Amino acid sequence: MRSSGLKRVEEAMEGLIFASRWLQAPLYLGLIVTQLLYVYKFMVELVHLAQHTHESPEAVFLVTVLGLIDVTMVANLLTTVIMGGYVTFVSKLDVGDHPDKPDWLSHIDPGSIKVKLASSLIGISSIHLLKSFIELASPDARVSATATSTLGWQIAVHATFVVSTLLLAATEYIMMRRNALGAASHASAPAAAEPTD
């Protein structure tokens, strides 16, 4: 009788823990709102760029375009986190055979999400680094010790992102290979001989 009561408590606790994944749903909704804000920011910058195209120097124009690319890459990163995180930690997306369903969505896992995020961060960091190079290379730029130091730190951070992403990708590859080898050896193992009378 007592074990039956403990079993009910255990089942209720496990049900609560499993249901707690829905606490993350508002976080993903918040990220969708953040995406809307990025769309607004993109449109404001695009209108500003269109209004001042004829009077902007080429370097300023290019930096503004890089800013638009940066906003787009952050939006891509948000989409990856929203869709991948929701599917991995909350619930499956029931979109059936929708033609626009991303291929990676069917085989997403926490490891591949980390690699995708790290790759996106490299892209965003590259844009910021390129913007800094262009701003320093412009004819009216004042190359100060602070600007040089900032650029050095940006290069260091970018290099850290690159090394971290390579390590994450290598780790993910090793884990996938180990799992594949384990599954193959398990499938090819001979069935245990049945005892004879």
Side-chain angles (χ1 to χ4, degrees), residues 44-151:
V44 167
E45 289 295 322
L46 184 62
V47 169
H48 184 265
L49 180 66
Q51 289 174 342
H52 301 283
T53 299
H54 61 283
E55 58 193 46
S56 295
E58 186 179 353
V60 174
F61 183 83
L62 184 54
V63 167
T64 307
V65 170
L66 288 174
L68 294 177
I69 295 172
D70 185 37
V71 170
T72 304
M73 292 187 77
V74 172
N76 292 341
L77 178 62
L78 284 169
T79 300
T80 303
V81 172
I82 292 166
M83 294 177 69
Y86 183 85
V87 165
T88 304
F89 299 110
V90 180
S91 181
K92 300 292 182 197
L93 286 177
D94 188 15
V95 293
D97 294 328
H98 195 284
D100 293 332
K101 180 180 177 182
D103 293 333
W104 55 266
L105 202 56
S106 57
H107 53 269
I108 196 78
D109 59 50
S112 56
I113 288 179
K114 287 178 192 173
V115 174
K116 285 182 180 297
L117 291 178
S119 301
S120 297
L121 288 174
I122 287 176
I124 293 166
S125 174
S126 299
I127 296 295
H128 282 270
L129 196 56
L130 186 56
K131 281 170 65 176
S132 295
F133 277 128
I134 291 170
E135 287 168 355
L136 280 177
S138 65
D140 55 344
R142 296 178 182 174
V143 182
S144 64
T146 305
T148 307
S149 174
T150 301
L151 186 62

